Amino acid sequence: MKKILAIAVLTLGIYSVTSCTAKQATSSTDMEKNDSITATGKVTKIENGKDGYMATIQDTNGKEYVATISIVNLQKSGSTFKRYEVGDTVTVQGPSWKDDQGKTYIKAEQLK
């Protein structure tokens, strides 16, 4: 009787563990949900990275965007990398998402 009970408990335990781990993740990233946007404005801040930089861009209405301008991302989309400086006017296009504070980020796929 003890063996049957032990086997039943073991079988139920294995079933519950495998059924929980076999489920696929249903959440998607914000980047997949949002469309490509275009932002034009003046570069107000530059943060250098290993294969590009992040440029904070302020448009004429005062809205700020943070654009990731990466050599790899631009090459994948057929565009050419260019280094901008604070004060330059830039137009970036690419997928966007917002963080918890409402700041808009753009992965630059085109520079115009």
Side-chain angles (χ1 to χ4, degrees), residues 43-105:
V43 177
T44 60
K45 182 179 177 185
I46 297 282
E47 292 180 46
N48 291 311
K50 66 179 183 178
D51 74 337
Y53 57 98
M54 293 179 69
T56 302
I57 302 166
Q58 187 172 26
D59 68 9
T60 56
N61 297 327
K63 182 169 175 150
E64 284 194 341
Y65 302 90
V66 178
T68 302
I69 301 173
S70 163
I71 297 169
V72 175
N73 292 337
L74 290 166
Q75 285 178 343
K76 283 181 183 178
S77 64
S79 189
T80 305
F81 177 82
K82 182 177 179 186
R83 178 156 300 273
Y84 290 94
E85 300 297 328
V86 173
D88 291 344
T89 300
V90 62
T91 299
V92 296
Q93 182 180 4
S96 70
W97 67 97
K98 290 186 180 186
D99 66 7
D100 295 337
Q101 290 80 33
K103 189 179 280 191
T104 303
Y105 291 84

Side-chain angles (χ1 to χ4, degrees), residues 37-40 57 67 69 90-94 106 108 110-112:
I37 67 167
T38 301
T40 301
I57 302 166
I69 301 173
V90 62
T91 299
V92 296
Q93 182 180 4
I106 303 171
Q110 297 288 323
L111 295 176
K112 299 177 182 180

